[in-house]
Amino acid sequence: MEYANHLNEYAPAPSEAQAAEEVARMKTAAVRNENSDVYKLCYSAIDLTTLSCSDSVRSVTAFAEKAVEFYDKFPHIPNVASICIYPSFVETVGVAVDGTPMRITSVAGGFPAAQTFLEVKALEVAMAIENGADEVDIVLNAGRMLTGEYDEAANEVEVIRAEMDEEIVLKVIIESGVLKTPDLIRKASLLSMFAGADFIKTSTGKTDVSATPEAAVVMCHAIKDFYEKTGRKVGFKAAGGVRTPQDAVLYYTIVEEILGKEWCTPELFRIGASSAANNLISAIEGREVKFF
């Protein structure tokens, strides 16, 4: 399908200066949200992530079992939204979380570079879902975006989306730190949504620049404009470099200010993180906690 022509139906991206000015305003506004209730919401929005070359069935099982143990250890805190792993560990996590509400997120589609055959990407996604993934995080082809091959990039997402049933959540990573400019970040966000993304996500966490508040502002405005034109709500996920409670609260505030409170739920707001989990628990409990 031709998607690039639809970009003209939307306003241009903000300038870098405008995005920076808005982030400064968000940082001031975020102070009001540095409280236990927002920390709990941010914790419940985490896709608890392990994406290491040293991952193994043993380590991933222990990781998932620890997340399940959280239900009993901290019953007053809503647990994380999902566990995010490589596709070969989907079944491993499924065994560990069986009988709990915990969702399973699999990266797939040639993660993290998306530089493989489309047929391979689609098959990997299909296999992750067959093994039990509830949600799939794929990467928009940044190389195609940088060379202006917008339809080709979006069509890859469309093909992968077609491999999924409607209830599977598709998050598309635009790798904002590679695209760099507000214009490309906005285009990538819109193209991903045109092609069927349920969430747009900042980054893989595998590049020099990961999530930034400036990219989040641009992406959230794209989500708002898309919703106003289509009536379809798309979620936002910040990932890569989100470590402190203040980091999490800033992204929460950006979502709240641009998209509204209705987006401030795990159904439409996620944080891809590992180290942030302990830090948020500590902020909630008022003492240092090293649970994970």
Side-chain angles (χ1 to χ4, degrees), residues 37-262:
D37 287 342
V38 174
Y39 294 151
K40 287 180 179 179
L41 186 285
C42 289
Y43 186 82
S44 74
I46 287 177
D47 289 338
L48 192 65
T49 302
T50 180
L51 296 171
S52 170
C53 65
S54 62
D55 287 342
S56 65
V57 170
R58 180 183 296 176
S59 69
V60 171
T61 297
F63 185 76
E65 287 177 345
K66 194 71 175 174
V68 170
E69 187 183 338
F70 186 88
Y71 287 111
D72 293 327
K73 294 287 187 181
F74 297 90
H76 55 292
I77 302 175
N79 208 347
V80 296
S82 80
I83 296 174
C84 179
I85 51 353
Y86 281 113
S88 57
F89 297 113
V90 168
E91 197 167 5
T92 300
V93 172
V95 171
V97 306
D98 188 42
T100 77
M102 187 77 66
R103 295 177 67 81
I104 303 170
T105 296
S106 175
V107 298
F111 180 95
Q115 298 289 8
T116 189
F117 302 105
L118 179 56
E119 293 85 354
V120 173
K121 295 180 185 182
L123 179 59
E124 187 178 47
V125 168
M127 291 177 70
I129 293 169
E130 184 178 354
N131 282 354
D134 304 296
E135 308 183 359
V136 176
D137 290 17
I138 67 169
V139 185
L140 187 70
N141 191 312
R144 289 192 183 278
M145 288 300 304
L146 291 168
T147 55
E149 298 172 88
Y150 302 144
D151 283 334
E152 291 82 356
N155 279 318
E156 288 193 5
V157 176
E158 180 187 26
V159 168
I160 292 170
R161 174 77 255 185
E163 293 291 327
M164 306 177 180
D165 292 335
E166 287 186 5
E167 67 268 18
I168 303 297
V169 174
L170 174 64
K171 307 190 199 90
V172 178
I173 304 162
I174 67 164
E175 207 65 283
S176 56
V178 172
L179 302 182
K180 295 182 180 178
T181 68
D183 179 59
L184 272 180
I185 291 168
R186 181 171 171 84
K187 284 175 177 172
S189 299
L190 290 169
L191 288 164
S192 298
M193 292 186 284
F194 295 162
D198 298 304
F199 272 76
I200 52 173
K201 175 179 169 182
T202 55
S203 44
T204 61
K206 304 292 187 182
T207 56
D208 291 340
V209 178
S210 294
T212 66
E214 290 78 10
V217 163
V218 175
M219 293 169 70
C220 285
H221 276 297
I223 291 170
K224 181 179 181 180
D225 293 348
F226 182 78
Y227 173 66
E228 288 176 351
K229 278 190 177 290
T230 68
R232 186 165 75 85
K233 292 181 177 178
V234 174
F236 169 77
K237 178 175 174 179
V242 185
R243 296 184 177 89
T244 68
Q246 291 74 26
D247 291 337
V249 167
L250 177 56
Y251 287 110
Y252 170 95
T253 303
I254 290 169
V255 170
E256 179 189 46
E257 288 282 308
I258 296 173
L259 295 168
K261 279 280 192 182
E262 60 191 302

